């Protein structure tokens, strides 16, 4: 593939503010956003790209490294740097780090966001879920009810909500929820729940979500999901004394 930018195009103008590396990042993002670099396309060499955009090679190298971490670019050994397929799951993968590292009030804020998105995703799923997807949700609900092992419950809880998010049919929302529902984050909450014997309550809440999905009732599904996450949110607020 040609390693130069499409003919007849001018270099992307660097934003007037920010570090040189940030301007390099913004320039590459602009090339992708404008369709001058497509998903799966190989980037020009670092030297050529830096020259065409009027940015130093060191800043371009840092920009490429940063965009690779963010899932926008990928390095293929012996082949070069390519634009990824720009799928939501790849671009939002690092979002889970926020959930893993947040503490105190930050955790409550994350749960507020999750409550809003989870209830919306569950309502959409109630309208869109296929019989096969519903069977998968039921499988994980049954497995949760069949064990008292916290690790097994956690695994099936994650899978239960992941199936529902997928059934909503919105990849971006599912990717955000995946980040908000990282295993590390869920494990921290489950440990606290285990100490207070709250498994019975969470099982009832999951059952209510499942019933709404079976009934294909979006509003009941929305309410059940909001109540479920809201219970966790309220529990966490109590733990923090807020």
């Amino acid at each position: 593939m040609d390693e130069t930018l499409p003919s007849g195009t001018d270099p992307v103008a660097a934003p007037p503010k920010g570090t040189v590396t940030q301007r390099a990042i913004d320039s590459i993002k602009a090339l992708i956003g404008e369709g001058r670099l497509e998903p799966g396309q190989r980037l020009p060499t670092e030297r050529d790209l830096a020259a065409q955009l009027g940015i130093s090679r060191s800043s371009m190298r840092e920009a490429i490294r940063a965009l690779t971490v963010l899932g926008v670019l990928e390095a293929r050994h012996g082949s070069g740097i390519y634009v990824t397929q720009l799928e939501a799951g790849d671009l939002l993968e690092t979002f889970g780090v926020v959930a893993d590292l947040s503490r105190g009030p930050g955790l409550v804020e994350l749960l507020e966001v999750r409550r809003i998105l989870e209830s919306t995703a569950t309502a959409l799923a109630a309208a869109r879920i296929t019989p096969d997807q519903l069977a998968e949700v039921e499988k994980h609900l049954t497995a949760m009810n069949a064990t008292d092992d916290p690790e097994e419950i956690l695994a099936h809880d994650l899978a239960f909500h992941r199936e529902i998010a997928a059934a909503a049919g919105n990849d971006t929302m599912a990717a955000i929820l995946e980040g908000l529902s990282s295993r590390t984050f869920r494990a921290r909450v489950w440990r606290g729940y285990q100490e207070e014997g709250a498994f019975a309550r969470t099982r009832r809440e999951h059952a209510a979500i499942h019933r709404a999905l079976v009934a294909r009732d979006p509003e009941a599904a929305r309410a059940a999901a909001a109540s479920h996450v809201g219970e966790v949110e309220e529990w966490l607020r109590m733990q923090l004394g807020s």
Side-chain angles (χ1 to χ4, degrees):
M1 183 175 290
D2 187 2
E3 294 187 6
T4 62
L5 297 179
S7 62
T9 59
D10 297 322
V12 175
K17 296 181 180 180
T19 65
V20 177
T21 298
Q22 184 59 53
R23 292 202 300 273
I25 290 172
D26 291 342
S27 295
I28 296 173
K29 287 165 59 180
L31 290 173
I32 296 170
E34 294 167 5
R36 293 157 66 183
L37 285 173
E38 298 285 350
Q41 183 176 341
R42 182 180 177 180
L43 263 68
T45 65
E46 179 186 289
R47 180 182 61 191
D48 289 346
L49 190 58
Q52 290 177 50
L53 297 178
I55 294 170
S56 70
R57 288 187 64 181
S58 61
S59 295
M60 183 56 63
R61 186 177 304 116
E62 290 300 317
I64 290 172
R65 184 178 295 120
L67 289 170
T68 300
V69 171
L70 291 173
V72 176
L73 304 176
E74 63 176 331
R76 299 181 188 175
H77 183 68
S79 180
I81 305 296
Y82 290 77
V83 181
T84 68
Q85 292 305 311
L86 303 177
E87 295 177 351
D90 295 328
L91 296 178
L92 293 169
E93 185 175 352
T94 56
F95 190 67
V97 175
V98 178
D100 289 344
L101 302 181
S102 293
R103 302 176 61 186
L107 286 175
V108 176
E109 290 184 1
L110 285 173
L111 281 169
E112 287 180 341
V113 175
R114 185 185 154 209
R115 172 164 48 84
I116 294 167
L117 293 181
E118 191 94 49
S119 58
T120 300
T122 307
L124 289 172
R128 300 173 176 175
I129 196 165
T130 67
D132 287 345
Q133 289 171 324
L134 189 57
E136 283 297 307
V137 171
E138 184 170 352
K139 180 183 76 174
H140 292 296
L141 177 63
T142 300
M144 271 191 283
N145 291 336
T147 182
D148 289 320
D149 184 305
E151 285 298 316
E152 290 186 20
I153 292 175
L154 172 61
H156 289 293
D157 172 65
L158 284 165
F160 176 89
H161 289 286
R162 186 178 293 120
E163 288 291 342
I164 293 171
N170 185 311
D171 291 342
T172 301
M173 186 183 298
I176 294 173
L177 282 169
E178 183 73 15
L180 288 172
S181 305
S182 72
R183 187 179 182 88
T184 300
F185 174 68
R186 287 288 185 91
R188 291 159 69 185
V189 174
W190 271 116
R191 280 196 294 270
Y193 260 35
Q194 182 185 13
E195 292 169 2
E196 296 191 6
F199 283 176
R201 184 174 73 239
T202 59
R203 284 175 173 141
R204 289 194 299 270
E205 292 164 359
H206 283 94
I209 293 171
H210 177 253
R211 285 195 301 272
L213 294 175
V214 171
R216 298 192 177 277
D217 186 335
E219 290 311 310
R222 185 192 307 275
S227 176
H228 172 51
V229 182
E231 286 285 348
V232 180
E233 185 183 329
E234 183 59 29
W235 171 80
L236 187 56
R237 287 183 189 278
M238 292 177 62
Q239 301 304 303
L240 297 173
S242 58

